[in-house]
Amino acid sequence: VFPGVRQAQWLTKTKLVEGLPPAVQGIVDNPAHGLQELEERVKHAVSHARLWDTAEVAPRREQYCPLLFENLIHICRLMSGKYPSLSKRMLARNCRIAATWERESILLQVRGLSGILMNSMTPIPPVASKEEILATKEHVLETFYPIAPTIDLQEVNVYKELNDTGQCFRDGYPYSHPHTLFFLESANVRTNRFRPEQLRAKMLMFAFGNALAKAKALHGNDPKVLEQPVVVQSIGTDGQLFQFMVFQLNTTDLVSNDGIKNLVWIDSDQNLYERAQCVPEVKKRVVTKPAGISGFQPDTFKKFLALYLHGTV
């Protein structure tokens, strides 16, 4: 099977841009937000999840991955003192999503549990300009001939074309805009976890699905180029390695390969730390690896926080 993101790009009619969009990178780089002041808290959060909250020599990923996520979200929430509009957010767990669209002559549907979804009272503004959106007309989507781009998708009989934003967006629900999806790959056994490339493809499909369902709820089912694009972010982690994604739905006209494309920015494989050593490693009575967290990468948390702050600051 060819790599996941390339397939997801074709299925969602999306052009890939490497790295974070300028709107998010600008938050990371701006010292006024005081992100560097949180470094010690983040180190503490990693140590708490990996070293202190366990009696085991090697704590299980299914334990420390969700705990680390909760710790990082808690640190993000502390910023609401500085930016009060951050309090207008809601985390929804086990949110179901269903979105249906046609691509060439194939009816496609993404459905299922879309991780942990942070909703907001206000949408994230578009990250690509009108000019950048128009320029996507020139982008040629990769084809996989002679392999069908749907090669490994599950075929089902669709009796009802669902476009459902789940219980998260009932009429009158104040937090009606999808902001960021979080995917925790916390299975302890490696073979039960998505590999990073598979995880990025899943993140893209569900960010697209949430954006498409929201666009149809706002603008109806007729395929069209959106006057106001819908932006949905996604963060995936196994408790150490992070994937960051910003998706912008520019069009719901997905049947043909022509015209305006959607856009996705991906920042891949960012380690928050290199290693967590619960007990020191000793060889010939010499400590070769001391206990503790080593190779801490503060920039990875800054990106996590920048996506959280995006649309507010």
Side-chain angles (χ1 to χ4, degrees):
V1 178
F2 44 80
V5 171
R6 287 164 54 208
Q7 181 183 19
Q9 281 178 253
W10 186 90
L11 294 170
T12 60
K13 194 175 175 177
T14 298
K15 177 187 176 183
L16 168 68
V17 184
E18 296 283 352
L20 294 173
V24 177
Q25 191 61 47
I27 300 172
V28 175
D29 297 338
N30 187 342
H33 299 311
L35 309 195
Q36 63 282 355
E37 294 157 25
L38 298 170
E39 275 184 35
E40 285 308 312
R41 280 185 186 273
V42 179
K43 280 185 190 171
H44 188 276
V46 174
S47 296
H48 174 243
R50 290 299 314 255
L51 308 176
W52 303 336
D53 193 67
T54 178
E56 298 178 43
V57 173
R60 300 169 73 79
R61 195 178 297 266
E62 56 216 26
Q63 180 185 6
Y64 70 73
C65 178
L67 182 59
L68 178 65
F69 167 73
E70 297 296 344
N71 288 350
L72 296 182
I73 283 288
H74 175 70
I75 294 170
C76 290
R77 283 190 178 127
L78 296 174
M79 299 293 279
S80 58
K82 195 172 184 178
Y83 305 109
S85 57
L86 286 174
S87 58
K88 296 173 181 173
R89 301 273 181 83
M90 182 63 69
L91 272 185
R93 294 165 198 272
N94 301 324
C95 236
R96 292 204 162 272
I97 181 74
T100 308
W101 71 102
E102 199 174 328
R103 190 79 179 84
E104 294 191 338
S105 57
I106 310 155
L107 190 65
L108 297 163
Q109 189 174 67
V110 59
R111 62 189 297 179
L113 288 172
S114 59
I116 299 165
L117 175 58
M118 184 167 70
N119 304 309
S120 175
M121 282 186 165
T122 52
I124 300 173
V127 285
S129 66
K130 292 261 194 320
E131 293 74 28
E132 287 172 280
I133 294 168
L134 281 171
T136 63
K137 282 185 176 181
E138 308 304 315
H139 179 69
V140 178
L141 290 163
E142 182 179 9
T143 58
F144 303 97
Y145 184 83
I147 301 169
T150 53
I151 181 170
D152 54 349
L153 301 187
Q154 182 185 355
E155 268 193 58
V156 293
N157 292 319
V158 175
Y159 301 107
K160 188 180 178 192
E161 289 187 31
L162 286 173
N163 287 291
D164 180 16
T165 50
Q167 292 305 304
C168 304
F169 303 120
R170 292 185 302 278
D171 283 350
Y173 182 64
Y175 308 96
S176 61
H177 297 278
H179 188 284
T180 304
L181 289 155
F182 299 95
F183 291 97
L184 309 184
E185 278 303 305
S186 54
N188 215 47
V189 181
R190 184 181 289 273
T191 49
N192 294 343
R193 287 199 302 275
F194 274 43
R195 294 192 306 276
E197 175 66 20
Q198 294 172 310
L199 178 57
R200 289 191 291 271
K202 178 181 176 180
M203 288 163 62
L204 174 51
M205 293 307 298
F206 276 96
F208 165 82
N210 274 276
L212 183 63
K214 183 63 186 172
K216 289 188 174 187
L218 288 170
H219 308 297
N221 286 328
D222 291 342
K224 58 166 79 71
V225 174
L226 300 174
E227 189 63 38
Q228 186 70 14
V230 180
V231 176
V232 178
Q233 303 179 143
S234 196
I235 297 175
T237 184
D238 63 1
Q240 180 176 4
L241 192 69
F242 284 73
Q243 317 292 335
F244 300 105
M245 182 178 294
V246 179
F247 177 82
Q248 180 167 308
L249 185 77
N250 298 316
T251 180
T252 59
D253 186 0
L254 304 162
V255 175
S256 83
N257 287 325
D258 301 330
I260 293 218
K261 317 297 186 297
N262 298 310
L263 283 161
V264 69
W265 291 259
I266 302 180
D267 194 14
S268 306
D269 298 337
Q270 303 293 307
N271 261 330
L272 182 58
Y273 55 92
E274 294 297 330
R275 196 174 66 246
Q277 196 77 20
C278 290
V279 292
E281 189 176 288
V282 181
K283 287 183 182 171
K284 297 180 182 175
R285 298 186 186 177
V286 176
V287 175
T288 51
K289 289 177 184 172
I293 304 296
S294 57
F296 177 65
Q297 306 281 344
D299 279 2
T300 300
F301 174 73
K302 287 179 187 174
K303 291 172 183 178
F304 185 98
L305 182 55
L307 262 71
Y308 186 91
L309 295 175
H310 187 205
T312 294
V313 303

